[in-house]
Amino acid sequence: QIQLVQSGGEVKQPGASVKVACKASGYTFIDYGISWVRQAPGQGLEWMGWISSYNGNRNSAQRLHGRFTMTTDTSTNTAYMELNSLRSDDTAMYYCARDHSSGSRAYYFDYWGQGSLVTVSS
Amino acid sequence: EIVLTQSPGTLSLSQGERATLSCRASQSVSSNDLAWYQQKPGQAPRLLIYGASSRATGIPDRFSGSGSGTDFTLTISRLEPGDVAIYYCQQYGSSLLTFGGGTKVEIK
């Protein structure tokens, strides 16, 4: 069955970086993209960005530009997201999701990881 | 960026009633590229509808989506206790994806 299994939660100090892994199984990894979505405590969903597992094309929300990086490793079917210069308002549950995309842009998300809680606190 | 506004913020209905959730876009959503998700407490979201009206795999036909352009609707025909959740719309008609703020559905 299709699964996305994410790395565990992390506690980081302001200004630090965090890297979250998302290991996919049960489907051909390069046939779909991966999007990252976060949710602050008690808040709604915020799309962060998308990466094509096929050709590496990517796009991300403008407010994160310069702090947010997405990569994929097709040898291990794993996607990664890294967020730098962490602030307290980056505290959130971070989800990866299989994006029903072509190689050119993001679409919608049919399978989700279990989430990774990132807490930014001094 | 396309802004999605969902209404009402909270919908409180009796079991068996019909729930109608609205999602309005600040500009026309290309090709009706709009999806709906259900999120129960402590869980990841689940895809319900894509392409404005196509049900995702395994979604019961009590859930239906409609609309075009800037106005979209999710309808739950007969509300069940398991439908208690927050429902989000999401547009993918532009390269910068956005979500609506969500509608919370409760059972009276």
Side-chain angles (χ1 to χ4, degrees):
Chain A
Q1 75 280 22
I2 295 169
Q3 281 191 304
L4 298 173
V5 178
Q6 298 183 224
S7 51
E10 305 233 29
V11 179
K12 295 289 184 180
Q13 293 203 326
S17 299
V18 69
K19 190 169 186 175
V20 176
C22 170
K23 184 169 176 61
S25 61
Y27 71 96
T28 302
F29 186 65
I30 60 171
D31 284 351
Y32 297 86
I34 294 287
S35 268
W36 291 91
V37 176
R38 70 179 179 179
Q39 186 170 36
Q43 302 301 308
L45 302 171
E46 178 189 5
W47 177 74
M48 300 177 69
W50 159 84
I51 183 168
S52 168
S53 309
Y54 173 69
N55 58 20
N57 284 352
R58 64 201 72 191
N59 198 10
S60 58
Q62 290 171 336
R63 66 188 298 260
L64 294 172
H65 273 184
R67 294 203 299 136
F68 178 59
T69 305
M70 295 171 288
T71 56
T72 60
D73 182 345
T74 55
S75 69
T76 60
N77 292 347
T78 303
Y80 299 92
M81 72 121 232
E82 186 168 16
L83 190 60
N84 303 317
S85 303
L86 288 169
R87 311 185 294 240
S88 57
D89 63 353
D90 291 319
T91 293
M93 184 71 80
Y94 287 76
Y95 294 102
C96 63
R98 190 178 83 161
D99 193 306
H100 212 274
S101 56
S102 64
S104 60
R105 66 179 181 94
Y107 279 60
Y108 56 88
F109 323 123
D110 56 0
Y111 289 89
W112 294 66
Q114 83 277 19
S116 299
L117 181 61
V118 175
T119 303
V120 182
S121 173
S122 55
Chain B
E1 175 179 295
I2 297 177
V3 176
L4 299 179
T5 302
Q6 291 189 241
S7 62
T10 301
L11 193 55
S12 187
L13 297 169
S14 299
Q15 185 174 338
E17 284 196 299
R18 181 185 191 92
T20 302
L21 288 66
S22 172
C23 176
R24 180 161 290 176
S26 60
Q27 55 189 279
S28 185
V29 176
S30 173
S31 304
N32 294 333
D33 284 343
L34 188 115
W36 290 92
Y37 300 86
Q38 175 193 67
Q39 187 178 32
K40 297 181 180 180
Q43 296 184 16
R46 176 174 73 146
L47 177 68
L48 298 175
I49 301 286
Y50 62 94
S53 61
S54 297
R55 266 187 302 276
T57 304
I59 302 303
D61 59 9
R62 296 187 298 106
F63 293 88
S64 63
S66 62
S68 64
T70 60
D71 289 298
F72 299 88
T73 300
L74 175 71
T75 301
I76 310 172
S77 60
R78 298 173 304 280
L79 205 57
E80 295 182 358
D83 299 333
V84 170
I86 299 176
Y87 293 82
Y88 295 94
C89 57
Q90 173 240 327
Q91 66 79 24
Y92 51 100
S94 75
S95 60
L96 298 178
L97 277 60
T98 50
F99 285 94
T103 291
K104 186 175 184 179
V105 172
E106 300 175 338
I107 298 280
K108 279 183 189 174

